[in-house]
Amino acid sequence: EAGVAQSPRYKIIEKRQSVAFWCNPISGHATLYWYQQILGQGPKLLIQFQNNGVVDDSQLPKDRFSAERLKGVDSTLKIQPAKLEDSAVYLCASSLPPSQFTEAFFGQGTRLTVV
Amino acid sequence: KQEVTQIPAALSVPEGENLVLNCSFTDSAIYNLQWFRQDPGKGLTSLLLIQSSQREQTSGRLNASLDKSSGRSTLYIAASQPGDSATYLCAGLTGTASKLTFGTGTRLQVTL
């Protein structure tokens, strides 16, 4: 079974530039998460999709961050314009609908450095 | 709103020691609790998933327990090895919307 795929693995950009990250979840997983993990901290949920609908985006800085999940499969997360404090690892995860058996699977993450 | 806390934030032990990592959560209405391992610069690897109906789960040298009534989970690592050095994160799954909330992690170093 293929895992969660993310690209790129690494990205270095200058502040005020734009960047986009891509995620392909495990086939059949309706739930997709984007997390931001700043060095030394636990992952913070940015946005959660159920199929192609947004379930939770309460912590997404909507003035600069946007995300979409077309056709309920792949997803992209965009930052425009980037700030220095956006330097972090961006993690994508997917899972089946909630039950006690539901396990979340994570991709390798994208490490973003804003200089 | 679920809040997850992990203690200690960092831990250093000599090789061969048994150790316990702690995870506390505020909302006991969880579907399950997952423990993850994260190596520097890498993504998250799932170690164990404890269902809400279970008390513990074992995988090799790892044993995780869950006490919903007290809002606590522990990860026990037996006979620690230098290769166990990593950050360990716990996360609780709650709500009809599958909200997955993480703790801040415990950074473990196992020394020779």
mmCIF file of all heavy atoms in Angstrom, chain B residues 9-62:
data_model
loop_
_atom_site.group_PDB
_atom_site.id
_atom_site.type_symbol
_atom_site.label_atom_id
_atom_site.label_comp_id
_atom_site.label_asym_id
_atom_site.label_seq_id
_atom_site.Cartn_x
_atom_site.Cartn_y
_atom_site.Cartn_z
ATOM 1 N N ALA B 9 9.742 17.133 28.631
ATOM 2 C CA ALA B 9 10.008 17.673 27.299
ATOM 3 C C ALA B 9 11.246 17.037 26.700
ATOM 4 O O ALA B 9 11.350 16.886 25.481
ATOM 5 C CB ALA B 9 10.179 19.191 27.369
ATOM 6 N N ALA B 10 12.197 16.675 27.562
ATOM 7 C CA ALA B 10 13.424 16.039 27.102
ATOM 8 C C ALA B 10 13.883 15.042 28.153
ATOM 9 O O ALA B 10 13.641 15.229 29.347
ATOM 10 C CB ALA B 10 14.510 17.075 26.830
ATOM 11 N N LEU B 11 14.559 14.003 27.676
ATOM 12 C CA LEU B 11 14.985 12.928 28.569
ATOM 13 C C LEU B 11 16.259 12.304 28.016
ATOM 14 O O LEU B 11 16.337 12.026 26.815
ATOM 15 C CB LEU B 11 13.885 11.869 28.655
ATOM 16 C CG LEU B 11 14.077 10.670 29.568
ATOM 17 C CD1 LEU B 11 14.196 11.126 31.015
ATOM 18 C CD2 LEU B 11 12.918 9.693 29.405
ATOM 19 N N SER B 12 17.237 12.106 28.884
ATOM 20 C CA SER B 12 18.474 11.455 28.480
ATOM 21 C C SER B 12 18.714 10.279 29.419
ATOM 22 O O SER B 12 18.700 10.445 30.644
ATOM 23 C CB SER B 12 19.649 12.434 28.547
ATOM 24 O OG SER B 12 20.859 11.797 28.142
ATOM 25 N N VAL B 13 18.909 9.102 28.858
ATOM 26 C CA VAL B 13 19.099 7.900 29.660
ATOM 27 C C VAL B 13 20.256 7.086 29.081
ATOM 28 O O VAL B 13 20.537 7.158 27.871
ATOM 29 C CB VAL B 13 17.831 7.013 29.684
ATOM 30 C CG1 VAL B 13 16.653 7.774 30.279
ATOM 31 C CG2 VAL B 13 17.499 6.478 28.317
ATOM 32 N N PRO B 14 20.924 6.307 29.917
ATOM 33 C CA PRO B 14 21.975 5.431 29.401
ATOM 34 C C PRO B 14 21.360 4.201 28.738
ATOM 35 O O PRO B 14 20.261 3.755 29.095
ATOM 36 C CB PRO B 14 22.769 5.051 30.653
ATOM 37 C CG PRO B 14 21.806 5.210 31.777
ATOM 38 C CD PRO B 14 20.877 6.297 31.394
ATOM 39 N N GLU B 15 22.081 3.659 27.798
ATOM 40 C CA GLU B 15 21.616 2.483 27.077
ATOM 41 C C GLU B 15 21.260 1.359 28.043
ATOM 42 O O GLU B 15 21.932 1.127 29.043
ATOM 43 C CB GLU B 15 22.722 2.009 26.122
ATOM 44 C CG GLU B 15 22.355 0.798 25.287
ATOM 45 C CD GLU B 15 23.491 0.364 24.370
ATOM 46 O OE1 GLU B 15 24.632 0.834 24.571
ATOM 47 O OE2 GLU B 15 23.237 -0.432 23.459
ATOM 48 N N GLY B 16 20.166 0.670 27.738
ATOM 49 C CA GLY B 16 19.749 -0.466 28.546
ATOM 50 C C GLY B 16 18.678 -0.151 29.570
ATOM 51 O O GLY B 16 18.026 -1.072 30.080
ATOM 52 N N GLU B 17 18.493 1.126 29.859
ATOM 53 C CA GLU B 17 17.483 1.488 30.848
ATOM 54 C C GLU B 17 16.079 1.368 30.279
ATOM 55 O O GLU B 17 15.862 1.558 29.085
ATOM 56 C CB GLU B 17 17.703 2.923 31.332
ATOM 57 C CG GLU B 17 18.643 3.029 32.492
ATOM 58 C CD GLU B 17 18.423 4.293 33.308
ATOM 59 O OE1 GLU B 17 17.442 5.015 33.053
ATOM 60 O OE2 GLU B 17 19.245 4.539 34.181
ATOM 61 N N ASN B 18 15.133 1.075 31.183
ATOM 62 C CA ASN B 18 13.717 1.132 30.835
ATOM 63 C C ASN B 18 13.225 2.548 31.121
ATOM 64 O O ASN B 18 13.689 3.204 32.056
ATOM 65 C CB ASN B 18 12.906 0.140 31.667
ATOM 66 C CG ASN B 18 13.411 -1.285 31.514
ATOM 67 O OD1 ASN B 18 13.848 -1.686 30.434
ATOM 68 N ND2 ASN B 18 13.387 -2.045 32.599
ATOM 69 N N LEU B 19 12.301 3.054 30.312
ATOM 70 C CA LEU B 19 11.836 4.420 30.533
ATOM 71 C C LEU B 19 10.357 4.554 30.194
ATOM 72 O O LEU B 19 9.777 3.733 29.477
ATOM 73 C CB LEU B 19 12.661 5.399 29.697
ATOM 74 C CG LEU B 19 12.667 5.182 28.196
ATOM 75 C CD1 LEU B 19 11.739 6.171 27.524
ATOM 76 C CD2 LEU B 19 14.070 5.318 27.621
ATOM 77 N N VAL B 20 9.773 5.617 30.744
ATOM 78 C CA VAL B 20 8.349 5.886 30.544
ATOM 79 C C VAL B 20 8.163 7.327 30.076
ATOM 80 O O VAL B 20 8.696 8.259 30.675
ATOM 81 C CB VAL B 20 7.549 5.667 31.848
ATOM 82 C CG1 VAL B 20 6.096 6.070 31.646
ATOM 83 C CG2 VAL B 20 7.640 4.220 32.277
ATOM 84 N N LEU B 21 7.406 7.483 29.019
ATOM 85 C CA LEU B 21 7.029 8.804 28.522
ATOM 86 C C LEU B 21 5.539 9.011 28.815
ATOM 87 O O LEU B 21 4.744 8.086 28.675
ATOM 88 C CB LEU B 21 7.281 8.909 27.016
ATOM 89 C CG LEU B 21 8.689 8.532 26.547
ATOM 90 C CD1 LEU B 21 8.789 8.699 25.035
ATOM 91 C CD2 LEU B 21 9.738 9.359 27.251
ATOM 92 N N ASN B 22 5.198 10.235 29.217
ATOM 93 C CA ASN B 22 3.832 10.511 29.641
ATOM 94 C C ASN B 22 3.090 11.440 28.686
ATOM 95 O O ASN B 22 3.678 12.357 28.106
ATOM 96 C CB ASN B 22 3.852 11.166 31.025
ATOM 97 C CG ASN B 22 4.424 10.249 32.069
ATOM 98 O OD1 ASN B 22 3.830 9.241 32.417
ATOM 99 N ND2 ASN B 22 5.620 10.584 32.556
ATOM 100 N N CYS B 23 1.795 11.199 28.561
ATOM 101 C CA CYS B 23 0.923 11.992 27.703
ATOM 102 C C CYS B 23 -0.392 12.203 28.450
ATOM 103 O O CYS B 23 -1.003 11.223 28.905
ATOM 104 C CB CYS B 23 0.695 11.258 26.387
ATOM 105 S SG CYS B 23 -0.530 11.979 25.286
ATOM 106 N N SER B 24 -0.807 13.461 28.576
ATOM 107 C CA SER B 24 -2.083 13.781 29.239
ATOM 108 C C SER B 24 -2.997 14.499 28.271
ATOM 109 O O SER B 24 -2.539 15.333 27.476
ATOM 110 C CB SER B 24 -1.835 14.675 30.460
ATOM 111 O OG SER B 24 -1.005 14.043 31.399
ATOM 112 N N PHE B 25 -4.295 14.211 28.351
ATOM 113 C CA PHE B 25 -5.255 14.867 27.472
ATOM 114 C C PHE B 25 -6.479 15.288 28.287
ATOM 115 O O PHE B 25 -6.800 14.682 29.315
ATOM 116 C CB PHE B 25 -5.658 13.955 26.301
ATOM 117 C CG PHE B 25 -6.033 12.559 26.694
ATOM 118 C CD1 PHE B 25 -7.354 12.218 26.949
ATOM 119 C CD2 PHE B 25 -5.064 11.570 26.799
ATOM 120 C CE1 PHE B 25 -7.710 10.930 27.314
ATOM 121 C CE2 PHE B 25 -5.403 10.272 27.147
ATOM 122 C CZ PHE B 25 -6.731 9.949 27.413
ATOM 123 N N THR B 26 -7.144 16.348 27.834
ATOM 124 C CA THR B 26 -8.227 16.939 28.621
ATOM 125 C C THR B 26 -9.600 16.387 28.253
ATOM 126 O O THR B 26 -10.501 16.379 29.094
ATOM 127 C CB THR B 26 -8.234 18.468 28.443
ATOM 128 O OG1 THR B 26 -8.330 18.779 27.045
ATOM 129 C CG2 THR B 26 -6.974 19.083 29.029
ATOM 130 N N ASP B 27 -9.795 15.965 27.012
ATOM 131 C CA ASP B 27 -11.090 15.453 26.567
ATOM 132 C C ASP B 27 -11.027 13.937 26.520
ATOM 133 O O ASP B 27 -10.372 13.368 25.658
ATOM 134 C CB ASP B 27 -11.426 16.024 25.184
ATOM 135 C CG ASP B 27 -12.807 15.601 24.692
ATOM 136 O OD1 ASP B 27 -13.478 14.799 25.384
ATOM 137 O OD2 ASP B 27 -13.207 16.073 23.621
ATOM 138 N N SER B 28 -11.725 13.287 27.449
ATOM 139 C CA SER B 28 -11.644 11.833 27.541
ATOM 140 C C SER B 28 -12.473 11.118 26.467
ATOM 141 O O SER B 28 -12.400 9.905 26.331
ATOM 142 C CB SER B 28 -12.112 11.365 28.918
ATOM 143 O OG SER B 28 -13.454 11.742 29.129
ATOM 144 N N ALA B 29 -13.253 11.887 25.706
ATOM 145 C CA ALA B 29 -14.082 11.278 24.658
ATOM 146 C C ALA B 29 -13.267 11.073 23.387
ATOM 147 O O ALA B 29 -13.630 11.572 22.309
ATOM 148 C CB ALA B 29 -15.290 12.168 24.370
ATOM 149 N N ILE B 30 -12.181 10.330 23.515
ATOM 150 C CA ILE B 30 -11.320 10.110 22.359
ATOM 151 C C ILE B 30 -11.663 8.780 21.706
ATOM 152 O O ILE B 30 -12.087 7.832 22.371
ATOM 153 C CB ILE B 30 -9.830 10.125 22.744
ATOM 154 C CG1 ILE B 30 -9.514 9.042 23.770
ATOM 155 C CG2 ILE B 30 -9.418 11.497 23.255
ATOM 156 C CD1 ILE B 30 -8.023 8.885 24.027
ATOM 157 N N TYR B 31 -11.491 8.734 20.392
ATOM 158 C CA TYR B 31 -11.641 7.464 19.678
ATOM 159 C C TYR B 31 -10.435 6.576 19.957
ATOM 160 O O TYR B 31 -10.554 5.373 20.160
ATOM 161 C CB TYR B 31 -11.733 7.709 18.166
ATOM 162 C CG TYR B 31 -13.057 8.223 17.701
ATOM 163 C CD1 TYR B 31 -13.206 9.554 17.325
ATOM 164 C CD2 TYR B 31 -14.169 7.387 17.612
ATOM 165 C CE1 TYR B 31 -14.429 10.033 16.873
ATOM 166 C CE2 TYR B 31 -15.391 7.866 17.167
ATOM 167 C CZ TYR B 31 -15.504 9.187 16.804
ATOM 168 O OH TYR B 31 -16.711 9.670 16.359
ATOM 169 N N ASN B 32 -9.266 7.187 19.868
ATOM 170 C CA ASN B 32 -8.045 6.437 20.114
ATOM 171 C C ASN B 32 -6.902 7.402 20.376
ATOM 172 O O ASN B 32 -7.062 8.624 20.291
ATOM 173 C CB ASN B 32 -7.700 5.525 18.908
ATOM 174 C CG ASN B 32 -7.497 6.289 17.618
ATOM 175 O OD1 ASN B 32 -6.801 7.307 17.570
ATOM 176 N ND2 ASN B 32 -8.067 5.795 16.537
ATOM 177 N N LEU B 33 -5.752 6.844 20.732
ATOM 178 C CA LEU B 33 -4.563 7.644 20.947
ATOM 179 C C LEU B 33 -3.415 6.977 20.203
ATOM 180 O O LEU B 33 -3.228 5.762 20.307
ATOM 181 C CB LEU B 33 -4.242 7.767 22.444
ATOM 182 C CG LEU B 33 -3.142 8.781 22.736
ATOM 183 C CD1 LEU B 33 -3.559 9.710 23.861
ATOM 184 C CD2 LEU B 33 -1.833 8.109 23.053
ATOM 185 N N GLN B 34 -2.678 7.778 19.449
ATOM 186 C CA GLN B 34 -1.543 7.266 18.690
ATOM 187 C C GLN B 34 -0.248 7.802 19.260
ATOM 188 O O GLN B 34 -0.169 8.981 19.641
ATOM 189 C CB GLN B 34 -1.628 7.711 17.209
ATOM 190 C CG GLN B 34 -2.370 6.767 16.314
ATOM 191 C CD GLN B 34 -2.319 7.174 14.854
ATOM 192 O OE1 GLN B 34 -3.163 7.907 14.353
ATOM 193 N NE2 GLN B 34 -1.317 6.662 14.158
ATOM 194 N N TRP B 35 0.761 6.951 19.273
ATOM 195 C CA TRP B 35 2.110 7.376 19.583
ATOM 196 C C TRP B 35 2.923 7.337 18.288
ATOM 197 O O TRP B 35 2.865 6.370 17.525
ATOM 198 C CB TRP B 35 2.754 6.441 20.607
ATOM 199 C CG TRP B 35 2.301 6.709 22.007
ATOM 200 C CD1 TRP B 35 1.266 6.122 22.673
ATOM 201 C CD2 TRP B 35 2.890 7.638 22.929
ATOM 202 N NE1 TRP B 35 1.156 6.633 23.941
ATOM 203 C CE2 TRP B 35 2.153 7.551 24.127
ATOM 204 C CE3 TRP B 35 3.969 8.527 22.855
ATOM 205 C CZ2 TRP B 35 2.455 8.325 25.245
ATOM 206 C CZ3 TRP B 35 4.272 9.289 23.965
ATOM 207 C CH2 TRP B 35 3.519 9.184 25.147
ATOM 208 N N PHE B 36 3.698 8.427 18.069
ATOM 209 C CA PHE B 36 4.524 8.561 16.881
ATOM 210 C C PHE B 36 5.973 8.755 17.289
ATOM 211 O O PHE B 36 6.279 9.274 18.362
ATOM 212 C CB PHE B 36 4.102 9.791 16.055
ATOM 213 C CG PHE B 36 2.732 9.709 15.451
ATOM 214 C CD1 PHE B 36 1.628 10.152 16.164
ATOM 215 C CD2 PHE B 36 2.545 9.218 14.173
ATOM 216 C CE1 PHE B 36 0.358 10.099 15.616
ATOM 217 C CE2 PHE B 36 1.276 9.173 13.603
ATOM 218 C CZ PHE B 36 0.191 9.614 14.326
ATOM 219 N N ARG B 37 6.835 8.408 16.365
ATOM 220 C CA ARG B 37 8.255 8.699 16.487
ATOM 221 C C ARG B 37 8.633 9.650 15.363
ATOM 222 O O ARG B 37 8.171 9.494 14.214
ATOM 223 C CB ARG B 37 9.060 7.406 16.386
ATOM 224 C CG ARG B 37 10.552 7.628 16.251
ATOM 225 C CD ARG B 37 11.310 6.350 16.022
ATOM 226 N NE ARG B 37 12.701 6.657 15.719
ATOM 227 C CZ ARG B 37 13.722 5.997 16.250
ATOM 228 N NH1 ARG B 37 13.515 4.981 17.073
ATOM 229 N NH2 ARG B 37 14.954 6.328 15.940
ATOM 230 N N GLN B 38 9.498 10.623 15.686
ATOM 231 C CA GLN B 38 9.972 11.550 14.665
ATOM 232 C C GLN B 38 11.479 11.706 14.787
ATOM 233 O O GLN B 38 11.984 12.164 15.810
ATOM 234 C CB GLN B 38 9.292 12.920 14.786
ATOM 235 C CG GLN B 38 9.649 13.871 13.661
ATOM 236 C CD GLN B 38 8.869 15.166 13.727
ATOM 237 O OE1 GLN B 38 8.566 15.665 14.805
ATOM 238 N NE2 GLN B 38 8.531 15.727 12.566
ATOM 239 N N ASP B 39 12.177 11.322 13.731
ATOM 240 C CA ASP B 39 13.619 11.541 13.659
ATOM 241 C C ASP B 39 13.875 12.938 13.116
ATOM 242 O O ASP B 39 13.036 13.487 12.393
ATOM 243 C CB ASP B 39 14.268 10.474 12.786
ATOM 244 C CG ASP B 39 14.168 9.098 13.434
ATOM 245 O OD1 ASP B 39 14.842 8.914 14.464
ATOM 246 O OD2 ASP B 39 13.416 8.247 12.942
ATOM 247 N N PRO B 40 15.028 13.524 13.444
ATOM 248 C CA PRO B 40 15.301 14.909 13.029
ATOM 249 C C PRO B 40 15.120 15.125 11.531
ATOM 250 O O PRO B 40 15.656 14.373 10.722
ATOM 251 C CB PRO B 40 16.758 15.106 13.453
ATOM 252 C CG PRO B 40 16.940 14.187 14.602
ATOM 253 C CD PRO B 40 16.117 12.970 14.267
ATOM 254 N N GLY B 41 14.327 16.122 11.184
ATOM 255 C CA GLY B 41 14.119 16.472 9.787
ATOM 256 C C GLY B 41 13.224 15.523 9.015
ATOM 257 O O GLY B 41 13.094 15.651 7.800
ATOM 258 N N LYS B 42 12.604 14.598 9.718
ATOM 259 C CA LYS B 42 11.774 13.605 9.028
ATOM 260 C C LYS B 42 10.300 13.749 9.403
ATOM 261 O O LYS B 42 9.933 14.531 10.281
ATOM 262 C CB LYS B 42 12.256 12.189 9.405
ATOM 263 C CG LYS B 42 13.701 11.901 9.040
ATOM 264 C CD LYS B 42 13.888 11.857 7.549
ATOM 265 C CE LYS B 42 15.318 11.560 7.146
ATOM 266 N NZ LYS B 42 15.766 10.215 7.580
ATOM 267 N N GLY B 43 9.475 12.953 8.733
ATOM 268 C CA GLY B 43 8.054 12.932 9.043
ATOM 269 C C GLY B 43 7.771 12.083 10.270
ATOM 270 O O GLY B 43 8.681 11.687 10.989
ATOM 271 N N LEU B 44 6.506 11.784 10.494
ATOM 272 C CA LEU B 44 6.083 11.029 11.670
ATOM 273 C C LEU B 44 5.862 9.567 11.307
ATOM 274 O O LEU B 44 5.213 9.262 10.303
ATOM 275 C CB LEU B 44 4.789 11.603 12.234
ATOM 276 C CG LEU B 44 4.783 13.082 12.581
ATOM 277 C CD1 LEU B 44 3.458 13.483 13.201
ATOM 278 C CD2 LEU B 44 5.921 13.417 13.507
ATOM 279 N N THR B 45 6.382 8.683 12.143
ATOM 280 C CA THR B 45 6.180 7.255 11.982
ATOM 281 C C THR B 45 5.279 6.762 13.105
ATOM 282 O O THR B 45 5.591 6.975 14.279
ATOM 283 C CB THR B 45 7.515 6.494 12.024
ATOM 284 O OG1 THR B 45 8.361 6.981 10.979
ATOM 285 C CG2 THR B 45 7.288 5.003 11.853
ATOM 286 N N SER B 46 4.186 6.134 12.753
ATOM 287 C CA SER B 46 3.269 5.625 13.758
ATOM 288 C C SER B 46 3.872 4.416 14.465
ATOM 289 O O SER B 46 4.362 3.489 13.824
ATOM 290 C CB SER B 46 1.937 5.238 13.106
ATOM 291 O OG SER B 46 1.019 4.776 14.079
ATOM 292 N N LEU B 47 3.864 4.452 15.802
ATOM 293 C CA LEU B 47 4.397 3.354 16.601
ATOM 294 C C LEU B 47 3.286 2.437 17.101
ATOM 295 O O LEU B 47 3.349 1.220 16.948
ATOM 296 C CB LEU B 47 5.173 3.907 17.793
ATOM 297 C CG LEU B 47 6.416 4.725 17.487
ATOM 298 C CD1 LEU B 47 6.960 5.340 18.767
ATOM 299 C CD2 LEU B 47 7.479 3.879 16.797
ATOM 300 N N LEU B 48 2.325 3.040 17.746
ATOM 301 C CA LEU B 48 1.243 2.269 18.356
ATOM 302 C C LEU B 48 -0.045 3.075 18.307
ATOM 303 O O LEU B 48 -0.017 4.295 18.433
ATOM 304 C CB LEU B 48 1.554 1.934 19.824
ATOM 305 C CG LEU B 48 2.648 0.905 20.089
ATOM 306 C CD1 LEU B 48 3.077 0.947 21.550
ATOM 307 C CD2 LEU B 48 2.153 -0.495 19.729
ATOM 308 N N LEU B 49 -1.148 2.374 18.145
ATOM 309 C CA LEU B 49 -2.460 2.978 18.237
ATOM 310 C C LEU B 49 -3.239 2.228 19.300
ATOM 311 O O LEU B 49 -3.346 0.989 19.232
ATOM 312 C CB LEU B 49 -3.189 2.903 16.889
ATOM 313 C CG LEU B 49 -4.591 3.532 16.830
ATOM 314 C CD1 LEU B 49 -4.856 4.123 15.456
ATOM 315 C CD2 LEU B 49 -5.670 2.513 17.177
ATOM 316 N N ILE B 50 -3.734 2.953 20.297
ATOM 317 C CA ILE B 50 -4.545 2.331 21.346
ATOM 318 C C ILE B 50 -5.988 2.761 21.146
ATOM 319 O O ILE B 50 -6.300 3.961 21.191
ATOM 320 C CB ILE B 50 -4.112 2.757 22.755
ATOM 321 C CG1 ILE B 50 -2.616 2.680 22.924
ATOM 322 C CG2 ILE B 50 -4.789 1.884 23.804
ATOM 323 C CD1 ILE B 50 -2.155 3.189 24.266
ATOM 324 N N GLN B 51 -6.846 1.800 20.914
ATOM 325 C CA GLN B 51 -8.259 2.097 20.729
ATOM 326 C C GLN B 51 -8.890 2.468 22.070
ATOM 327 O O GLN B 51 -8.395 2.067 23.127
ATOM 328 C CB GLN B 51 -8.967 0.877 20.125
ATOM 329 C CG GLN B 51 -8.403 0.473 18.783
ATOM 330 C CD GLN B 51 -8.785 -0.938 18.410
ATOM 331 O OE1 GLN B 51 -9.694 -1.529 19.002
ATOM 332 N NE2 GLN B 51 -8.118 -1.481 17.413
ATOM 333 N N SER B 52 -9.986 3.198 22.011
ATOM 334 C CA SER B 52 -10.635 3.673 23.235
ATOM 335 C C SER B 52 -11.111 2.519 24.120
ATOM 336 O O SER B 52 -11.230 2.677 25.336
ATOM 337 C CB SER B 52 -11.816 4.576 22.890
ATOM 338 O OG SER B 52 -12.762 3.878 22.093
ATOM 339 N N SER B 53 -11.348 1.362 23.510
ATOM 340 C CA SER B 53 -11.813 0.204 24.283
ATOM 341 C C SER B 53 -10.665 -0.625 24.853
ATOM 342 O O SER B 53 -10.901 -1.591 25.582
ATOM 343 C CB SER B 53 -12.675 -0.695 23.395
ATOM 344 O OG SER B 53 -11.931 -1.139 22.280
ATOM 345 N N GLN B 54 -9.428 -0.251 24.496
ATOM 346 C CA GLN B 54 -8.268 -0.998 24.969
ATOM 347 C C GLN B 54 -7.609 -0.310 26.151
ATOM 348 O O GLN B 54 -7.745 0.908 26.342
ATOM 349 C CB GLN B 54 -7.245 -1.145 23.831
ATOM 350 C CG GLN B 54 -7.749 -1.963 22.665
ATOM 351 C CD GLN B 54 -6.726 -2.033 21.544
ATOM 352 O OE1 GLN B 54 -6.049 -1.044 21.239
ATOM 353 N NE2 GLN B 54 -6.614 -3.192 20.923
ATOM 354 N N ARG B 55 -6.863 -1.099 26.913
ATOM 355 C CA ARG B 55 -6.103 -0.532 28.026
ATOM 356 C C ARG B 55 -4.635 -0.394 27.670
ATOM 357 O O ARG B 55 -3.943 0.472 28.190
ATOM 358 C CB ARG B 55 -6.245 -1.435 29.253
ATOM 359 C CG ARG B 55 -7.632 -1.531 29.798
ATOM 360 C CD ARG B 55 -8.006 -0.321 30.597
ATOM 361 N NE ARG B 55 -7.233 -0.197 31.813
ATOM 362 C CZ ARG B 55 -7.404 0.764 32.715
ATOM 363 N NH1 ARG B 55 -8.313 1.680 32.516
ATOM 364 N NH2 ARG B 55 -6.670 0.814 33.791
ATOM 365 N N GLU B 56 -4.146 -1.322 26.811
ATOM 366 C CA GLU B 56 -2.759 -1.234 26.399
ATOM 367 C C GLU B 56 -2.549 -1.931 25.067
ATOM 368 O O GLU B 56 -3.375 -2.705 24.601
ATOM 369 C CB GLU B 56 -1.828 -1.802 27.467
ATOM 370 C CG GLU B 56 -2.008 -3.270 27.791
ATOM 371 C CD GLU B 56 -0.993 -3.712 28.849
ATOM 372 O OE1 GLU B 56 -0.952 -3.125 29.932
ATOM 373 O OE2 GLU B 56 -0.231 -4.654 28.550
ATOM 374 N N GLN B 57 -1.386 -1.618 24.490
ATOM 375 C CA GLN B 57 -1.005 -2.150 23.194
ATOM 376 C C GLN B 57 0.499 -2.334 23.206
ATOM 377 O O GLN B 57 1.224 -1.498 23.735
ATOM 378 C CB GLN B 57 -1.428 -1.185 22.085
ATOM 379 C CG GLN B 57 -1.318 -1.702 20.678
ATOM 380 C CD GLN B 57 -2.328 -2.775 20.355
ATOM 381 O OE1 GLN B 57 -1.990 -3.955 20.312
ATOM 382 N NE2 GLN B 57 -3.563 -2.374 20.141
ATOM 383 N N THR B 58 0.958 -3.436 22.623
ATOM 384 C CA THR B 58 2.385 -3.757 22.669
ATOM 385 C C THR B 58 2.921 -4.004 21.272
ATOM 386 O O THR B 58 2.236 -4.607 20.430
ATOM 387 C CB THR B 58 2.625 -5.003 23.537
ATOM 388 O OG1 THR B 58 2.194 -4.724 24.870
ATOM 389 C CG2 THR B 58 4.095 -5.370 23.563
ATOM 390 N N SER B 59 4.166 -3.549 21.059
ATOM 391 C CA SER B 59 4.873 -3.830 19.812
ATOM 392 C C SER B 59 6.353 -3.931 20.141
ATOM 393 O O SER B 59 6.999 -2.926 20.428
ATOM 394 C CB SER B 59 4.629 -2.734 18.785
ATOM 395 O OG SER B 59 5.387 -2.974 17.617
ATOM 396 N N GLY B 60 6.874 -5.149 20.140
ATOM 397 C CA GLY B 60 8.285 -5.345 20.466
ATOM 398 C C GLY B 60 8.623 -4.839 21.851
ATOM 399 O O GLY B 60 8.026 -5.248 22.841
ATOM 400 N N ARG B 61 9.583 -3.910 21.907
ATOM 401 C CA ARG B 61 10.000 -3.361 23.207
ATOM 402 C C ARG B 61 9.119 -2.208 23.680
ATOM 403 O O ARG B 61 9.379 -1.606 24.716
ATOM 404 C CB ARG B 61 11.455 -2.883 23.101
ATOM 405 C CG ARG B 61 12.462 -3.999 22.870
ATOM 406 C CD ARG B 61 13.896 -3.468 22.839
ATOM 407 N NE ARG B 61 14.147 -2.606 21.688
ATOM 408 C CZ ARG B 61 14.306 -1.292 21.778
ATOM 409 N NH1 ARG B 61 14.232 -0.667 22.949
ATOM 410 N NH2 ARG B 61 14.546 -0.580 20.684
ATOM 411 N N LEU B 62 8.111 -1.881 22.921
ATOM 412 C CA LEU B 62 7.230 -0.767 23.245
ATOM 413 C C LEU B 62 5.912 -1.266 23.813
ATOM 414 O O LEU B 62 5.345 -2.233 23.314
ATOM 415 C CB LEU B 62 6.941 0.070 21.994
ATOM 416 C CG LEU B 62 8.128 0.614 21.220
ATOM 417 C CD1 LEU B 62 7.639 1.406 20.016
ATOM 418 C CD2 LEU B 62 9.013 1.464 22.096
#
